[in-house]
Amino acid sequence: MTTRRRAAGDARDEAEVACGELAAVLKETGIVLPSLAVGPVTFGYEPPRSLVELGRCNVETTRKLIAVLQRAAR
């Protein structure tokens, strides 16, 4: 395996773990982002860029997310 492919794999693994952790924490607060995922096209860059797509959600979910973030900011 080339160094570049290994780096891309490591970056993807890290992004997948972070994405899973975020989904779990959000779920604990009653929030589900249905489009939460790792952006696959982000690994075509050199060096690979691990980007998590938060995706789209409805207004109700947006309001829940705002409330959680506001409480956390206090």
Side-chain angles (χ1 to χ4, degrees):
M1 178 181 287
T2 66
T3 302
R4 180 181 171 159
R5 289 183 72 189
R6 188 176 308 113
D10 291 347
R12 181 165 185 83
D13 290 346
E14 180 182 4
E16 290 287 352
V17 168
C19 188
E21 290 174 2
L22 178 58
V25 169
L26 287 172
K27 188 174 181 180
E28 289 176 13
T29 65
I31 297 171
V32 175
L33 297 178
S35 301
L36 182 63
V38 174
V41 297
T42 63
F43 298 100
Y45 295 98
E46 183 60 39
R49 298 178 187 159
S50 309
L51 298 177
V52 175
E53 295 180 6
L54 299 178
R56 301 165 53 170
C57 61
N58 61 31
V59 174
E60 179 183 0
T61 300
T62 302
R63 296 269 180 227
K64 287 180 184 178
L65 185 56
I66 290 167
V68 168
L69 291 171
Q70 286 174 330
R71 284 193 302 272
R74 292 184 192 143

